[in-house]
Amino acid sequence: MFFGLWKRKKERPRSADPLAAFDELLENLERQAAEMRKSAATLLALKGDLSRSLERCSRKLSDIDSRRATALSRGDAKASSVLEKDRVQADAQLTSTREALSRAESDSQLLLEAAGELGERVEELRRERESASARLTLGGIITDTLKERVARFEQALVVDAARDEVERAHALAEVYRDELREKTD
C-alpha cells in the first residue's frame, strides 16, 4: 500500500567525462530555448488573431453607435436601450481584447528575449566546451609525453644502477685480485 512512499528517486548516473557534462547541459539549454521560441511563436500567432478580433470589435462598436444614432433620431427608445447594452458589451469585449493583445505582445517579447539570452549562453558554452576539449586533448598529450619521460628516466636509473653494479663487481674483483697477490707474495 505505502511501499515506496519514502523511496528516493534514483538520480541519473553522471558521466565521469567532463565533455559529456557540457554536452548534456548544452542539450538541455537548446531544448529550453526551442520551447521558448515555440511558445513565443504561439503568442505571436495569438497576437495576430487578437489584432483581427480588435478590428472586428472596433467595427462592431462603430456599427452599434451608428444604429443607435439612427434609433435615437427615429425616437425608438427601446431599440436605443438595447443598442446601449450591446455597446457596453462590445466596449467590454474591446477592452478585454486590448488587454489580451497587450499581454500577448509583452509575453512574446519576454519569451523571445529569454530565448535569445539562452542562445547566447549556448554559444558561450559551446566555445567553452571546444576550449575544454582542446585543453583535455593537450593535457592527454602532455601526460603521454611525461609518461615517456618518466619511462626514459626510469631506464636511465636502471642503466645507472647497472653501471654501479658493474663498478662494484670490478671493485670486488680488484679486491680479490689484491688479496690473491698478497697471498702469492
Coordinates of all heavy atoms in Angstrom, one line a residue, residues 119-157:
G119 N 20.2 31.4 -26.2 CA 21.0 31.1 -27.4 C 22.4 31.6 -27.2 O 23.4 30.9 -27.6
E120 N 22.6 32.8 -26.7 CA 23.9 33.4 -26.4 C 24.6 32.5 -25.4 O 25.8 32.2 -25.6 CB 23.8 34.8 -25.9 CG 23.3 35.8 -26.9 CD 23.0 37.2 -26.3 OE1 23.3 37.4 -25.1 OE2 22.5 38.0 -27.1
R121 N 23.9 32.1 -24.4 CA 24.6 31.2 -23.3 C 25.0 29.9 -24.0 O 26.1 29.4 -23.6 CB 23.6 30.9 -22.2 CG 24.0 30.0 -21.1 CD 25.1 30.7 -20.2 NE 25.4 29.8 -19.2 CZ 26.6 29.6 -18.8 NH1 27.6 30.2 -19.3 NH2 26.9 28.7 -17.8
V122 N 24.2 29.3 -24.9 CA 24.6 28.1 -25.5 C 25.8 28.3 -26.4 O 26.8 27.4 -26.3 CB 23.4 27.6 -26.4 CG1 23.9 26.5 -27.4 CG2 22.3 27.0 -25.5
E123 N 25.9 29.4 -27.1 CA 27.1 29.6 -27.9 C 28.3 29.8 -27.0 O 29.4 29.3 -27.3 CB 26.9 30.9 -28.8 CG 25.9 30.6 -29.9 CD 26.3 29.4 -30.8 OE1 27.5 29.4 -31.2 OE2 25.5 28.6 -31.1
E124 N 28.1 30.5 -25.9 CA 29.3 30.7 -25.0 C 29.7 29.4 -24.4 O 30.9 29.1 -24.3 CB 28.8 31.6 -23.8 CG 29.8 31.9 -22.8 CD 29.2 32.8 -21.7 OE1 28.5 33.8 -22.0 OE2 29.4 32.4 -20.5
L125 N 28.8 28.5 -24.1 CA 29.1 27.2 -23.6 C 29.8 26.3 -24.6 O 30.7 25.5 -24.3 CB 27.9 26.5 -23.0 CG 27.5 27.0 -21.6 CD1 26.1 26.3 -21.2 CD2 28.5 26.6 -20.6
R126 N 29.3 26.5 -25.9 CA 30.0 25.7 -27.0 C 31.4 26.1 -27.1 O 32.3 25.2 -27.3 CB 29.2 26.0 -28.3 CG 28.0 25.1 -28.4 CD 27.6 25.0 -29.8 NE 26.5 24.0 -29.7 CZ 25.4 24.2 -30.4 NH1 25.2 25.1 -31.2 NH2 24.4 23.3 -30.2
R127 N 31.7 27.4 -27.1 CA 33.1 27.8 -27.2 C 33.9 27.3 -26.0 O 35.0 26.9 -26.1 CB 33.1 29.4 -27.2 CG 32.7 30.0 -28.5 CD 33.0 31.4 -28.6 NE 32.3 32.2 -27.6 CZ 31.1 32.7 -27.8 NH1 30.4 32.5 -28.9 NH2 30.5 33.4 -26.8
E128 N 33.3 27.4 -24.8 CA 33.9 26.8 -23.6 C 34.2 25.3 -23.7 O 35.2 24.8 -23.3 CB 33.1 27.1 -22.4 CG 33.8 26.9 -21.1 CD 32.9 27.3 -19.9 OE1 32.0 28.1 -20.0 OE2 33.2 26.7 -18.8
R129 N 33.2 24.6 -24.3 CA 33.4 23.2 -24.5 C 34.5 22.9 -25.5 O 35.3 22.0 -25.2 CB 32.1 22.6 -25.0 CG 32.2 21.0 -25.1 CD 31.3 20.5 -26.2 NE 31.4 19.0 -26.2 CZ 32.3 18.3 -26.9 NH1 33.3 18.9 -27.5 NH2 32.3 17.0 -26.9
E130 N 34.6 23.6 -26.6 CA 35.7 23.5 -27.5 C 37.0 23.7 -26.9 O 38.0 23.0 -27.1 CB 35.5 24.4 -28.7 CG 34.3 23.9 -29.6 CD 34.0 24.9 -30.7 OE1 34.7 25.9 -30.8 OE2 33.0 24.7 -31.4
S131 N 37.1 24.8 -26.0 CA 38.3 25.1 -25.3 C 38.7 24.0 -24.4 O 39.8 23.6 -24.3 CB 38.1 26.4 -24.6 OG 39.3 26.7 -23.8
A132 N 37.7 23.5 -23.6 CA 37.9 22.4 -22.7 C 38.4 21.1 -23.4 O 39.3 20.4 -23.0 CB 36.6 22.1 -21.9
S133 N 37.8 20.9 -24.6 CA 38.2 19.7 -25.4 C 39.6 19.8 -25.8 O 40.4 18.9 -25.7 CB 37.3 19.6 -26.6 OG 37.7 18.5 -27.4
A134 N 40.0 21.0 -26.2 CA 41.4 21.2 -26.7 C 42.3 21.1 -25.5 O 43.4 20.5 -25.6 CB 41.5 22.6 -27.3
R135 N 41.9 21.6 -24.3 CA 42.8 21.5 -23.1 C 42.9 20.1 -22.7 O 44.0 19.6 -22.3 CB 42.2 22.4 -22.0 CG 42.5 23.8 -22.2 CD 42.1 24.6 -21.0 NE 40.6 24.4 -20.9 CZ 39.8 25.3 -20.4 NH1 40.2 26.4 -20.0 NH2 38.5 25.0 -20.3
L136 N 41.8 19.3 -22.8 CA 41.9 17.9 -22.4 C 42.8 17.1 -23.3 O 43.5 16.3 -22.9 CB 40.5 17.3 -22.3 CG 39.6 17.6 -21.1 CD1 38.2 17.1 -21.3 CD2 40.2 17.1 -19.9
T137 N 42.6 17.4 -24.6 CA 43.5 16.7 -25.6 C 44.9 17.1 -25.4 O 45.8 16.2 -25.3 CB 43.1 17.2 -27.0 OG1 41.7 16.8 -27.2 CG2 43.9 16.5 -28.1
L138 N 45.2 18.4 -25.1 CA 46.6 18.8 -24.9 C 47.1 18.2 -23.6 O 48.2 17.7 -23.5 CB 46.6 20.3 -24.8 CG 48.0 21.0 -24.6 CD1 48.9 20.6 -25.7 CD2 47.9 22.5 -24.4
G139 N 46.2 18.1 -22.6 CA 46.6 17.5 -21.3 C 46.9 16.0 -21.5 O 47.9 15.5 -20.9
G140 N 46.2 15.3 -22.3 CA 46.5 13.9 -22.6 C 47.8 13.8 -23.3 O 48.6 12.9 -23.0
I141 N 48.1 14.7 -24.3 CA 49.4 14.7 -25.0 C 50.5 14.9 -24.0 O 51.5 14.2 -24.0 CB 49.4 15.7 -26.1 CG1 48.4 15.2 -27.2 CG2 50.8 15.9 -26.7 CD1 48.2 16.3 -28.3
I142 N 50.3 15.9 -23.1 CA 51.4 16.2 -22.1 C 51.6 15.1 -21.2 O 52.7 14.7 -20.9 CB 51.0 17.5 -21.4 CG1 51.2 18.7 -22.3 CG2 51.9 17.7 -20.1 CD1 50.7 20.0 -21.7
T143 N 50.5 14.4 -20.8 CA 50.6 13.3 -19.9 C 51.3 12.1 -20.5 O 52.2 11.5 -19.9 CB 49.1 12.8 -19.5 OG1 48.5 13.9 -18.8 CG2 49.2 11.6 -18.6
D144 N 51.0 11.9 -21.8 CA 51.7 10.8 -22.5 C 53.2 11.2 -22.7 O 54.1 10.3 -22.5 CB 51.1 10.6 -23.9 CG 49.7 10.0 -23.9 OD1 49.4 9.5 -22.8 OD2 49.0 10.1 -24.9
T145 N 53.5 12.4 -22.9 CA 54.9 12.9 -23.0 C 55.6 12.7 -21.7 O 56.7 12.2 -21.7 CB 55.0 14.3 -23.5 OG1 54.3 14.5 -24.7 CG2 56.4 14.8 -23.7
L146 N 54.9 13.1 -20.6 CA 55.5 12.9 -19.3 C 55.7 11.5 -19.0 O 56.8 11.1 -18.3 CB 54.7 13.6 -18.2 CG 54.7 15.2 -18.3 CD1 53.7 15.7 -17.2 CD2 56.1 15.7 -18.0
K147 N 54.8 10.6 -19.4 CA 55.0 9.2 -19.1 C 56.2 8.7 -19.8 O 57.0 7.8 -19.3 CB 53.7 8.4 -19.6 CG 52.6 8.5 -18.7 CD 51.4 7.7 -19.2 CE 50.1 7.9 -18.3 NZ 49.0 7.2 -18.9
E148 N 56.4 9.1 -21.1 CA 57.6 8.7 -21.8 C 58.9 9.2 -21.1 O 59.8 8.5 -21.1 CB 57.5 9.3 -23.3 CG 56.5 8.6 -24.1 CD 56.4 9.2 -25.5 OE1 57.3 10.0 -25.9 OE2 55.4 9.0 -26.2
R149 N 58.8 10.5 -20.7 CA 60.0 11.0 -20.0 C 60.3 10.2 -18.7 O 61.4 9.9 -18.4 CB 59.8 12.5 -19.6 CG 60.0 13.4 -20.7 CD 59.8 14.8 -20.2 NE 61.1 15.5 -20.2 CZ 61.2 16.7 -19.8 NH1 60.2 17.4 -19.2 NH2 62.4 17.3 -19.9
V150 N 59.2 9.9 -18.0 CA 59.4 9.1 -16.8 C 59.9 7.7 -17.1 O 60.9 7.2 -16.4 CB 58.0 8.9 -16.0 CG1 58.1 7.8 -14.9 CG2 57.6 10.3 -15.4
A151 N 59.5 7.1 -18.2 CA 60.0 5.8 -18.6 C 61.5 5.9 -19.0 O 62.3 5.0 -18.6 CB 59.2 5.3 -19.8
R152 N 61.8 7.0 -19.7 CA 63.2 7.2 -20.1 C 64.1 7.4 -18.8 O 65.2 6.9 -18.7 CB 63.4 8.4 -21.0 CG 63.0 8.0 -22.4 CD 63.5 9.1 -23.4 NE 63.2 10.4 -23.1 CZ 62.1 11.1 -23.6 NH1 61.3 10.5 -24.5 NH2 61.9 12.3 -23.2
F153 N 63.5 8.2 -17.9 CA 64.2 8.4 -16.6 C 64.4 7.1 -15.8 O 65.5 6.9 -15.3 CB 63.4 9.5 -15.8 CG 64.1 9.9 -14.5 CD1 65.3 10.7 -14.5 CD2 63.6 9.4 -13.3 CE1 65.9 11.0 -13.4 CE2 64.3 9.8 -12.1 CZ 65.4 10.6 -12.1
E154 N 63.3 6.3 -15.8 CA 63.4 5.0 -15.1 C 64.5 4.1 -15.8 O 65.3 3.4 -15.2 CB 62.1 4.3 -15.1 CG 61.1 4.9 -14.1 CD 59.7 4.3 -14.2 OE1 59.4 3.5 -15.1 OE2 58.9 4.7 -13.3
Q155 N 64.5 4.2 -17.2 CA 65.6 3.4 -17.9 C 66.9 3.9 -17.5 O 67.9 3.2 -17.3 CB 65.3 3.5 -19.4 CG 64.2 2.7 -19.9 CD 63.9 3.0 -21.4 OE1 64.4 4.0 -22.0 NE2 63.2 2.1 -22.0
A156 N 67.1 5.3 -17.4 CA 68.4 5.8 -17.1 C 68.8 5.4 -15.7 O 69.9 5.1 -15.4 CB 68.3 7.4 -17.1
L157 N 67.8 5.3 -14.8 CA 68.1 4.9 -13.4 C 68.5 3.4 -13.4 O 69.4 3.0 -12.7 CB 66.8 5.1 -12.5 CG 66.5 6.5 -12.1 CD1 65.2 6.5 -11.3 CD2 67.6 7.1 -11.3

